[in-house]
Amino acid sequence: MGDKNVVIITGGAMGIGRAIADRFAKDGSAVVIADVSGATEAAAEIAATGAQALGVTCDISDPASCSAMADATVTAFGRIDTLVNNAGLYSTLKLTEFKDITTEEWQRVLNVNVMGQALVTAAVLPTMQSQGSGAIVNMSSGTPFKGVPYLLHYVASKGAINAMTKALAKELGSAGIRVNGVAPGFTMSDGVKANPHQIEKLKDISVQARVIARDQLPEDVVGAVVFLASRDAAFMTGQTLVVDGGAYFH
Ligand SMILES: NC(=O)c1ccc[n+]([C@@H]2O[C@H](COP(=O)([O-])OP(=O)(O)OC[C@H]3O[C@@H](n4cnc5c(N)ncnc54)[C@H](O)[C@@H]3O)[C@@H](O)[C@H]2O)c1
């Protein structure tokens, strides 16, 4: 299976991550769905289309779980070409004034959204380094670019991701590993649709701020991720592409 393109998608069981996984599978990659819930079911659905897919139950905030997931990937497919660091807490977060966000809630969000991406990256790194190649795509958000209020813990977590994308790109470039990011606008993912409080408060504001004035769908995010992982982006690293229908321009 040495020639197979092997892609890990964290949080790939649903939402934006699932759309990304479906596309990589359709394009012929072997996909690993690494998710705290629904991983095996999602992988089974993808495998039923004829693609190679592995589901691994993985909590990205747990180092041992991340290492076990990376090991399971190498055991199944022999290599790791791309990591899509997509899993994160967003749709279940309540819009809260800065002064009312508790210390525990700050720590919970930073632990999953920042440490989680760091831990998964650390787990796949030895394999990518021994290959001398790899592409990492970190899921960010438009919120740190725009300065969205009432989600300060979340906005700070994604600002940290933008910073890590740049710094890690500098650190890993000589090892043949590229690190880029994608920053979607408010997207009608499964998680968002299941949490109406987010939709009611954010959807209209988000759509009005766009020059392409329609709902953003998970499928709208997929192309940027696939591109950044591909050889077409072989000379791109440390960049974060904003995919938001023209709400924010760098
Ligand atoms: N939906 C949006 O509006 C939006 C906008 C910008 C960025 N994002 C980012 O995109 C990513 C996906 O968002 P979404 O809306 O598709 O999410 P979602 O809630 O629809 O799905 C998230 C997936 O991540 C998994 N997950 C959560 N915590 C995990 C953990 N600790 N370990 C492993 N898996 C875990 C969940 O089980 C779920 O399958 C997140 O990083 C989010 O911050 C979302």
Side-chain angles (χ1 to χ4, degrees):
M1 290 179 196
D3 294 329
K4 199 84 183 168
N5 189 53
V6 180
V7 184
I8 295 170
I9 303 104
T10 67
M14 68 180 206
I16 294 170
R18 177 60 192 270
I20 293 166
D22 286 346
R23 170 65 183 275
F24 274 111
K26 187 163 164 271
D27 289 352
S29 296
V31 298
V32 176
I33 306 289
D35 203 301
V36 75
S37 68
T40 43
E41 295 85 345
E45 285 173 17
I46 292 171
T49 68
Q52 281 184 288
L54 173 71
V56 183
T57 302
C58 170
D59 178 351
I60 62 164
S61 65
D62 173 16
S65 183
C66 294
S67 300
M69 184 276 294
D71 289 349
T73 301
V74 174
T75 300
F77 299 123
R79 53 186 296 115
I80 302 171
D81 295 288
T82 296
L83 165 65
V84 184
N85 253 328
N86 164 79
L89 298 175
Y90 171 63
S91 61
T92 53
L93 303 178
K94 304 267 180 296
L95 298 180
T96 309
E97 282 185 42
F98 171 67
K99 65 179 173 52
D100 295 329
I101 303 175
T102 63
T103 306
E104 292 71 26
E105 189 64 354
W106 266 99
Q107 286 168 340
R108 188 176 78 93
V109 171
L110 294 178
N111 201 34
V112 174
N113 289 10
V114 182
M115 274 313 300
Q117 287 203 12
L119 290 172
V120 182
T121 298
V124 305
L125 207 49
T127 300
M128 288 186 174
Q129 281 171 323
S130 69
Q131 292 166 182
S133 67
I136 297 170
V137 183
N138 292 332
M139 195 57 70
S140 178
S141 157
T143 57
F145 296 104
K146 290 182 260 191
V148 170
Y150 308 122
L151 279 173
L152 263 286
H153 46 359
Y154 177 78
V155 176
S157 76
K158 293 303 188 181
I161 295 309
N162 295 339
M164 288 210 296
T165 296
K166 291 182 187 183
L168 207 53
K170 292 267 183 179
E171 198 166 319
L172 299 180
S174 61
I177 300 167
R178 297 183 299 104
V179 187
N180 291 289
V182 172
F186 184 67
T187 302
M188 301 302 286
S189 65
D190 293 322
V192 163
K193 285 193 282 185
N195 288 279
H197 64 279
Q198 287 282 57
I199 296 180
E200 283 161 21
K201 293 207 172 101
L202 294 175
K203 187 180 150 186
D204 291 345
I205 305 167
S206 303
V207 172
Q208 280 161 20
R210 292 172 187 156
V211 293
I212 303 170
R214 64 160 172 80
D215 285 354
Q216 179 163 1
L217 305 176
E219 291 70 24
D220 290 315
V221 184
V222 168
V225 176
V226 169
F227 164 66
L228 288 170
S230 77
R231 288 194 187 91
D232 284 345
F235 207 54
M236 281 182 71
T237 193
Q239 304 295 329
T240 294
L241 297 181
V242 178
V243 181
D244 72 351
Y248 175 86
F249 299 138
H250 271 295

